[in-house]
Amino acid sequence: MAPQTRRMAFPKVLVERDTDSEESSSDDEEEVEEEEGPQSESEEEKVVVTKGGNGATVEEKKKGKAPITISLKKVCKVCKKPGHEAGFKGATYIDCPMKPCFLCKMPGHTTMTCPHRVTTEYGVVPAPHKNTHNRLDFVFQRQLRPRIPPIKAAYVIPDQVCCAAIRYHSRRVTSLEFHPTKNNILLSGDKKGQVGVWDFVKVHEKMVYGNIHTCIVNNMRFNPINDDTVFAASSDGTVSCTDLETGISSSLMNLNPDGWQGPNNWRMLYGMDTNSERGVVLAADNFGFLYMLDTRSNRKAGEAILIHKKGSKVVGLHCNPVQPEILLSCGNDHFARIWDMRRLEAGSSLCDLSHRRVVNSAYFSPVTGNKILTTAQDNRLRIWDSIFGDLGSPSREIVHSHDFNRHLTPFRAEWDPKDPSESLVVVGRYISENYHGAALHPIDFIDVSTGQLVAEVIDPHITTITPVNKLHPRDDILASGSSRSLFIWMPKEKSESVEPKDERKIIFCGTDEKKFKRKFGGESDDDSDDDGCGSKGKNLKSKSTKSKVKKKSAEFPHKGKY
DNA sequence: ATGCTATGCATCC
DNA sequence: TGGATGCCCTAGCA
């Protein structure tokens, strides 16, 4: 066959070895680089290289033409250049110095030396001192600002895993929603279209609805006039209305009534919110259009309106909590836009907030509705302090690692609905941190009025990234979706009283206990290093209030390096 | 232990 | 403008 005949006429192979590093051989990966010759038969060449590695620098192959030179010099796997290497060194990731900083995206330094990676001021860009002469802004500064209590209420950070449902979903979690009145009910949607209803106090009381949607559940909202029913928007192009008591679901709208007509015609619904004043559900699709659905007649109210760049995905919708006629949208055209629903037509936005990348989410603040928080794929949280002020540029930009990754649910920073000062925000972090030898991805609590990192919440068991987070409307509880798992966090004191009282209060579902124990070695989990995690790992995360921020460098000695 | 892959945006021409 | 291509810290399964 062909390989044989080729072999006969195979040219001379020269293996060029790495000269500047002695410990190059053995277990470390070695990148193979062809410098000339035919690119085809790469399989054969790899064989030659591995054999050539032990001893002979030149391997003769019968009669040849021009010799093939194979370089065994170590190259960076990111930029393919020699002299440095990127990748994990233990639990710490080393950036490629040839690329812009992975965190702030600016050239000239790496994540390790990024000025935004500072212990107590992680991700902070100082708030620009704006001296606007806008009249409304003036009124706000003079008359409204003084009435806002200057002292912030002390918020409590849920920092202890109370219970977790391992592999409750069979695909990654994409959305979470707490029940508005029943304290212990959490809804979760996944990439497969399944919707889970979980009573996280009676942890085994759970229900998974697999017949509501056929793919990604992008957003869920409870019906404001009947909180036994919930709306969900999905990439299958439908908005569902499900009765949680009976499990009966109906479809308010189907954008793909004729089924699959090719990718250019398949419509997906992403952003969704309810407007109780109008009795409508708002949903937006991947082509830039907004739909209004009457919840009583289950029909479309009016025509679809183009609210973002034609053909671009609208990923988020939010009605202002105080003035429901004011709508906030965001999407893949790098904009968040403010609309007045009384005068809603293409191009009629009140304001366009520009971003450098896709905007994953945009939310009004939960109490006054006066602030805006956005999460964008340029690794920045943006805050506008007053929708009545100058919206030309954000009041603050906070550099925070929540990179876009096609395999993860997009990160969305969420307000704490209980914080009257509207400054506490929760958001998962993408970049891992070396916590005593383990690379973990914390969930960050950030004070967006200062940009300060208030707490970073981790658990040695949770090694995956946690992009989906939601804070409870009344209790000090955080719900997290990480890959296929759900987690409920509480302040340490409270979690102590929760049943069952196993060591870590982790509840397993189905066969996952075996896998989990195989991975983590049962009770004695971490074997990292002397001061490592293990049961002592609990100490890692016992910082519950903002007053402990300063202590963080002591509790995380490694962070001092940055 | 290693390899594969689902998958979304940016960039290029 | 649109199709092809490539991609730095994924997660889980074969």
Side-chain angles (χ1 to χ4, degrees):
Chain A
M1 293 294 281
Q4 259 89 2
T5 50
R6 283 273 187 90
R7 194 177 275 267
M8 302 307 282
F10 208 77
K12 205 190 272 181
V13 178
L14 301 170
V15 179
E16 189 182 296
R17 309 220 53 170
D18 198 355
T19 47
D20 45 305
S21 76
E22 306 101 337
E23 19 101 73
S24 63
S25 51
S26 68
D27 47 315
D28 288 348
E29 305 153 42
E30 291 183 349
E31 297 284 335
V32 175
E33 195 182 72
E34 279 175 53
E35 287 183 353
E36 46 181 306
Q39 284 100 312
S40 50
E41 302 299 315
S42 60
E43 271 188 20
E44 285 207 349
E45 275 148 23
K46 270 184 192 156
V47 173
V48 170
V49 169
T50 45
K51 298 251 194 287
N54 34 346
T57 51
V58 176
E59 182 125 337
E60 290 275 290
K61 291 275 167 190
K62 313 228 164 146
K63 297 174 189 166
K65 303 155 188 179
I68 295 175
T69 310
I70 296 170
S71 170
L72 291 183
K73 280 182 181 167
K74 284 189 180 181
V75 293
C76 170
K77 68 176 178 184
V78 177
C79 69
K80 311 282 185 273
K81 294 204 174 77
H84 65 273
E85 282 176 276
F88 273 104
K89 278 267 184 291
T92 307
Y93 189 86
I94 310 295
D95 266 11
C96 169
M98 308 303 282
K99 294 277 183 169
C101 171
F102 196 66
L103 174 56
C104 74
K105 310 297 180 196
M106 303 302 279
H109 64 270
T110 64
T111 310
M112 294 295 272
T113 54
C114 179
H116 302 290
R117 190 171 180 153
V118 180
T119 310
T120 54
E121 293 182 303
Y122 180 92
V124 176
V125 169
H129 181 71
K130 284 204 296 180
N131 193 8
T132 50
H133 302 288
N134 177 313
R135 204 175 285 180
L136 268 172
D137 204 38
F138 181 79
V139 170
F140 177 75
Q141 295 292 347
R142 283 291 294 271
Q143 296 177 9
L144 299 179
R145 178 73 52 94
R147 295 188 198 171
I148 296 172
I151 297 168
K152 277 183 212 151
Y155 28 66
V156 181
I157 308 294
D159 62 346
Q160 190 89 12
V161 170
C162 146
C163 39
I166 308 293
R167 268 266 243 146
Y168 175 89
H169 285 277
S170 60
R171 290 288 181 274
R172 68 174 199 240
V173 174
T174 53
S175 54
L176 290 175
E177 198 75 6
F178 280 106
H179 195 287
T181 54
K182 293 177 184 164
N183 267 354
N184 308 321
I185 304 294
L186 177 71
L187 257 64
S188 50
D190 72 16
K191 202 171 150 289
K192 201 182 178 186
Q194 297 195 323
V195 175
V197 186
W198 182 31
D199 183 330
F200 52 83
V201 168
K202 303 170 199 159
V203 286
H204 294 290
E205 284 195 17
K206 60 184 194 302
M207 181 62 87
V208 182
Y209 296 109
N211 54 356
I212 300 175
H213 290 291
T214 55
C215 57
I216 316 177
V217 179
N218 290 304
N219 268 297
M220 295 180 291
R221 290 285 187 281
F222 277 87
N223 186 343
I225 53 166
N226 173 11
D227 60 22
D228 282 333
T229 60
V230 66
F231 301 110
S234 163
S235 290
D236 63 12
T238 67
V239 173
S240 63
C241 176
T242 305
D243 187 313
L244 295 178
E245 296 292 315
T246 63
I248 295 170
S249 176
S250 62
S251 179
L252 291 188
M253 176 173 71
N254 182 2
L255 292 181
N256 304 300
D258 304 322
W260 179 255
Q261 304 287 322
N264 296 333
N265 297 305
W266 185 259
R267 289 178 174 263
M268 302 185 257
L269 287 165
Y270 285 84
M272 186 196 60
D273 200 6
T274 54
N275 184 323
S276 52
E277 274 196 8
R278 293 191 164 226
V280 294
V281 170
L282 302 160
D285 71 5
N286 56 329
F287 290 101
F289 286 92
L290 172 77
Y291 304 84
M292 275 192 264
L293 311 167
D294 190 301
T295 54
R296 268 160 284 226
S297 64
N298 279 7
R299 285 216 201 102
K300 276 191 204 172
E303 287 303 301
I305 303 158
L306 185 70
I307 59 168
H308 280 264
K309 186 180 168 188
K310 197 167 187 181
S312 76
K313 196 194 282 181
V314 183
V315 289
L317 291 177
H318 189 211
C319 291
N320 190 292
V322 175
Q323 302 174 67
E325 301 289 9
I326 304 297
L327 174 70
L328 181 60
S329 66
C330 64
N332 277 23
D333 62 354
H334 301 188
F335 279 98
R337 301 181 201 273
I338 306 174
W339 306 85
D340 186 337
M341 287 184 60
R342 290 161 292 199
R343 205 175 61 84
L344 196 54
E345 54 190 53
S348 71
S349 59
L350 300 178
C351 192
D352 300 332
L353 311 174
S354 82
H355 295 67
R356 282 199 289 278
R357 293 274 180 229
V358 168
V359 189
N360 288 347
S361 67
Y363 295 114
F364 289 113
S365 55
V367 183
T368 66
N370 196 28
K371 299 182 186 181
I372 289 174
L373 165 72
T374 67
T375 309
Q377 288 183 6
D378 62 352
N379 265 358
R380 275 153 183 82
L381 306 174
R382 289 179 176 78
I383 299 95
W384 283 263
D385 280 336
S386 169
I387 55 170
F388 302 110
D390 174 21
L391 292 172
S393 62
S395 309
R396 266 172 308 290
E397 282 187 18
I398 300 172
V399 175
H400 178 265
S401 170
H402 49 256
D403 257 62
F404 166 73
N405 180 318
R406 72 194 127 154
H407 310 293
L408 300 173
T409 305
F411 289 82
R412 299 196 266 211
E414 304 267 349
W415 294 102
D416 181 358
K418 303 175 292 298
D419 172 22
S421 67
E422 299 185 317
S423 55
L424 188 64
V425 151
V426 65
V427 58
R429 198 192 302 174
Y430 185 95
I431 301 184
S432 62
E433 205 75 65
N434 183 348
Y435 293 98
H436 300 269
L440 302 175
H441 307 265
I443 301 163
D444 289 332
F445 284 77
I446 297 172
D447 183 332
V448 294
S449 67
T450 61
Q452 197 158 42
L453 178 68
V454 173
E456 43 185 1
V457 170
I458 54 160
D459 185 291
H461 283 109
I462 306 175
T463 54
T464 49
I465 293 172
T466 309
V468 192
N469 296 285
K470 207 95 181 183
L471 288 161
H472 195 280
R474 290 168 300 279
D475 296 337
D476 295 320
I477 289 176
L478 165 69
S480 296
S482 187
S483 184
R484 305 172 180 187
S485 306
L486 296 176
F487 300 96
I488 292 288
W489 309 75
M490 294 185 183
K492 195 177 180 192
E493 313 79 68
K494 287 192 188 172
S495 74
E496 307 278 299
S497 63
V498 173
E499 302 287 341
K501 287 187 185 296
D502 13 287
E503 163 88 1
R504 291 190 185 274
K505 302 192 175 68
I506 287 195
I507 310 305
F508 300 96
C509 294
T511 58
D512 294 306
E513 180 164 2
K514 279 183 198 161
K515 286 184 184 174
F516 191 86
K517 285 191 173 166
R518 211 182 305 144
K519 188 170 177 184
F520 295 108
E523 306 307 315
S524 58
D525 47 355
D526 295 314
D527 53 342
S528 49
D529 50 353
D530 39 8
D531 64 350
C533 307
S535 55
K536 285 168 276 180
K538 288 194 160 195
N539 300 331
L540 286 172
K541 48 190 162 40
S542 52
K543 52 193 179 313
S544 50
T545 60
K546 61 172 183 172
S547 59
K548 295 211 177 168
V549 175
K550 292 271 179 192
K551 287 190 182 171
K552 203 159 23 185
S553 54
E555 285 180 55
F556 296 85
H558 62 283
K559 294 213 77 182
K561 286 184 285 190
Y562 311 131

